[in-house]
Amino acid sequence: MSATTRFCPSPTGLVHVGVLRTALFNWAHARHTGGTFVFRIEDTDAARDSEESYRHLLDCLRWLGLDWDEGPEVGGPHGPYRQSERHDIYREVAAKLLEARHAYESFSTPEEVEARRLAAGQDPKLGYDNADRDTTEAEKQAFRDAGRQPVLRLRMPDEDLSWTDLVRGEVRFAAGSVPDFVLVRGNGVPLYPFTNPVDDALMRVTDVLRGEDLLSSTPRQIALYRALTDIGVAQGTPRFGHLPLVMGEGSKKLSKRDPQSNFDVYRERGFLPEGLINYLALLGWSIADDRDVFSPQEMVEAFDVTRVSANPARFDLKKAEAINATHLRALPVEEFVDRVVPFLAGAGLVAEPPTAEQDRVLRAIAPLAQERMVVLSEAVNLLRFLFVDEVEIEAAAAEKQLAGESAVQVLDAATTALGELDGWSTAAIEAALKAALVDGLGLKPRLAFGPVRVAVSGRTVSPPLYESIELLGRERTLARLAAARGVAAG
RNA sequence: GCCCCCAUCGUCUAGCGGUCCAGGACGCCGCCCUUUCAAGGCGGUAGCACGGGUUCGAACCCCGUUGGGGGCACCA
C-alpha cells in the first residue's frame, strides 16, 4: 500500500544528523511503498528561522539524494510548502474549529494558571487547567475591553487517546492527562502543534515518522485530527511511527550543540552520500542478520518501518567511518577520481578540471590510494607529494626515518641506484632499490625503505613506494632524495 | 513531581516459544600477508539487567523491580 510521508524541518541553525536520519526513513518508506515523499518547511518561528538555513536544508537533502515529490522548488498540488506562506490557511481552519466549538478562546495568562495550580495545592508543572472552557460571552467581552487577547485552545476529548505506533505498537495516554493546548497565539500567530497536523491533513500525509521526542505530543495531534476530520479538513488520522532517538557520547540525546551532530562536518570530511545513508540507516534499522553494507537502492527495496528498532541508538563515528570506507573502496576508479578531485582542487593541488597530466597521475594512483582511505579529504595529505615540486617533510616523519645513522647510507645508495637506472618503470625501480638497499646494504626492508618513502612523500604513510616513484619521475625523485639527505645529514 | 518510551556483547543490531551453551558488524586483541601505513585473510574477546509468573519448554509472552531515555511553553 503506497504511503505519503513527509519531512518537515524548521530552518533553524545547523542541520542535525538525527534530523536527516528521520528524513531518510520517511523517504525510504515512501519509496519502498511506491508512495509520495513530501518536503515541507516549518518556518513559523520568524525569530529563529533563516533563509540561509532553509537553502542549506535543501542542499543537504539533494546531496544525500533524497528526492522529494512535492515541496520547495518542485511544487505540488498542496502548496505552498513553506508554512510562512500558509497563514491564510491556518486562519481559516482556526475559525472553523472555533465555530464548531472544537476550539475556544482562552484568556488566562500563564501567571494566572500557575497561581491557580498553586492555590489548589498542585504542581504548576501540570500546566493549563482547562479553566476557560466555559467562559461566557460577557466575560470574554470584559477581557477584551481590558485589552486582553485570547489564545485559541483545542478542547481535548474526555477519553483515553491511543494509537498503534508503527514501530512501538499500542501506545495509550489516559483521559485528562493532556490539557487543552494552544493552537493560535494571542497575537494571531499559529503554533507548531496546530500547523503541523493541518498541513499533514491538507497534504494527505498517511504515515508520520518522527523522533521519539515528539511521542508525548501525539495524543494532542490525534485529538486535533479528530476535530479536523469532523470539520472536513482532514480525511482521518494518519499512522504514526516514532523513531528511536540518536544519542551522542554518554547516554544523552545528541544535542544540536554537540559538534558530532553537525551534518556538515561529515560532508566536509569527505563522507560519501551513500556511505552516510548506509550508516544513518543502521541507526535503528538493519537489512539482514548477516550484512550491514548496502546501497540506497537496496535500502529502499528492503525497508520496512515496522521492523525499525525502538531502542535509542548511539552515533558511533568509528563504525560510520568503517561503513564509509567500504563504500569508498567499492567505487569504480573513474568515479573515485571524480569525487576526490574537488578535495584536491580545494587544497590547490590540481586544477578543476585537472590538466591532462594531473588526470594521468590521478588515474594511475587512484586504485592504490582508494584502498587506504576512509574519507575523501584524506586524499589531500596522501597524494599531495605527487602534485607539488618539493615536499615538505613532516617533522615526525623526519624524526622517525631520517634520524638514524643508516638513513644517509640508504639515501645515497638509492640515489645512485635510481640515477643509473635504465627504464623508469615500477618493476625496474623495485628491482634496483631492492638490489641496492636490501642486498647491497644488507638492511631489513623496513629499515631500507622507510627513509626513501619519507624522502619521496614527506610522510611515513603513502601509496605503494615503487609506483609512487615511477609517477613522480626521475628528476623529482632524485631532487627529493638529495633534499632528504640534507635533512638526514643534519 | 507527573506522563510516556526503552532494556541482547563496550557500540549498532539479528532473534518474532524449541533449530540459541544466542548470529552479524564496528571496536579491541592475536596470527598471516607485507616496502611504511592501510587494506585483505584467519582466529579470539565480550551480551540475553534482576525477580516473579505462564508453559513440557522462555532472550523471546505477562507482572513487578531496577536502570536508562524523552516530554511536560502563547519553541519546533
Side-chain angles (χ1 to χ4, degrees), chain A residues 277-288:
Chain A
I277 281 184
N278 190 157
Y279 180 66
L280 254 19
L282 258 17
L283 258 23
W285 183 73
S286 65
I287 194 166

Side-chain angles (χ1 to χ4, degrees), chain A residues 40 42 77 83 85 109 114 142 172 182-183 198 207 271 281 315 325 368 379 383 410 422 428 431-432 445 480 490:
Chain A
R40 178 176 75 234
E42 308 219 324
Q83 292 191 327
E85 297 168 8
T109 64
E114 183 174 345
R172 172 176 299 272
V182 177
L183 264 19
V198 166
D207 296 62
F271 269 80
F315 191 95
L368 306 172
L383 303 181
V410 167
D422 291 324
R480 288 181 192 187

Side-chain angles (χ1 to χ4, degrees), chain A residues 87-417:
Chain A
H87 279 93
D88 290 346
I89 295 170
Y90 307 131
R91 211 180 333 273
E92 194 181 316
V93 174
K96 282 189 192 165
L97 248 17
L98 180 62
E99 190 186 350
R101 298 187 54 77
H102 283 119
Y104 62 91
E105 293 176 310
S106 168
F107 286 87
S108 293
T109 64
E111 296 71 36
E112 288 168 343
V113 171
E114 183 174 345
R116 284 200 296 267
R117 285 290 189 193
L118 256 16
Q122 296 167 334
D123 186 344
K125 287 233 167 175
L126 258 23
Y128 177 65
D129 54 2
N130 298 356
D132 303 325
R133 283 186 170 191
D134 303 308
T135 308
T136 65
E137 285 309 317
E139 289 167 331
K140 288 181 187 172
Q141 194 53 52
F143 279 125
R144 273 189 238 277
D145 291 343
R148 275 159 81 143
Q149 294 196 303
V151 297
L152 194 66
R153 289 185 188 272
L154 186 81
R155 195 183 303 270
M156 291 292 288
D158 185 29
E159 59 191 75
D160 287 7
L161 256 11
S162 70
W163 73 95
T164 303
D165 196 275
L166 258 12
V167 344
R168 283 151 219 276
E170 195 76 5
V171 179
R172 172 176 299 272
F173 284 72
S177 63
V178 185
D180 295 348
F181 64 102
V182 177
L183 264 19
V184 182
R185 277 177 174 159
N187 62 7
V189 176
L191 262 15
Y192 159 82
F194 174 54
T195 59
N196 177 276
V198 166
D199 284 344
D200 284 349
L202 259 17
M203 294 174 185
R204 300 295 182 246
V205 170
T206 63
D207 296 62
V208 174
L209 308 183
R210 31 145 47 170
E212 191 200 333
D213 50 340
L214 293 168
L215 183 73
S216 53
S217 74
T218 305
R220 297 193 303 220
Q221 302 222 339
I222 288 174
L224 214 207
Y225 264 105
R226 290 188 187 169
L228 292 173
T229 302
D230 181 57
I231 62 170
V233 168
Q235 297 186 323
T237 306
R239 285 180 289 267
F240 288 91
H242 290 89
L243 308 175
L245 254 19
V246 175
M247 317 290 277
E249 296 297 333
S251 54
K252 51 256 168 217
K253 177 176 158 186
L254 189 54
S255 153
K256 211 162 176 173
R257 258 68 59 187
D258 191 322
Q260 228 197 346
S261 76
N262 184 0
F263 184 74
D264 293 347
V265 316
Y266 300 98
R267 200 171 151 179
E268 284 158 13
R269 279 193 61 207
F271 269 80
L272 266 21
E274 59 269 47
L276 218 37
I277 281 184
N278 190 157
Y279 180 66
L280 254 19
L282 258 17
L283 258 23
W285 183 73
S286 65
I287 194 166
D289 62 359
D290 61 349
R291 182 161 80 111
D292 60 10
V293 174
F294 47 84
S295 69
Q297 294 67 31
E298 289 171 317
M299 179 187 182
V300 165
E301 279 162 34
F303 190 72
D304 176 0
V305 224
T306 273
R307 290 177 41 82
V308 168
S309 162
N311 305 17
R314 222 177 295 310
F315 191 95
D316 181 349
L317 182 60
K318 283 279 183 46
K319 179 140 185 178
E321 289 176 339
I323 295 286
N324 193 70
T326 306
H327 283 272
L328 195 64
R329 273 176 251 120
L331 244 31
V333 176
E334 319 78 63
E335 182 72 25
F336 172 80
V337 170
D338 287 346
R339 304 226 203 176
V340 99
V341 161
F343 287 84
L344 296 176
L349 297 177
V350 301
E352 197 166 15
T355 63
E357 172 60 12
Q358 288 168 342
D359 190 60
R360 184 188 70 80
V361 172
L362 254 181
R363 284 174 190 283
I365 204 68
L368 306 172
Q370 196 172 355
E371 66 185 22
R372 60 202 70 208
M373 284 168 44
V374 167
V375 290
L376 294 171
S377 64
E378 289 173 320
V380 172
N381 286 330
L382 189 65
L383 303 181
R384 170 178 283 117
F385 75 100
L386 288 169
F387 300 102
V388 294
D389 290 335
E390 295 173 14
V391 285
E392 193 171 318
I393 295 175
E394 289 183 359
E399 176 139 1
K400 187 173 176 191
Q401 296 291 358
L402 300 181
E405 43 216 71
S406 65
V408 172
Q409 264 185 294
V410 167
L411 294 171
D412 284 343
T415 300
T416 305

Side-chain angles (χ1 to χ4, degrees), chain A residues 54-68:
Chain A
Y54 160 72
R55 302 235 67 91
H56 188 49
L57 238 9
L58 301 213
D59 186 43
C60 286
L61 277 206
R62 288 200 168 113
W63 182 76
L64 275 177
L66 306 185
D67 56 318
W68 55 98

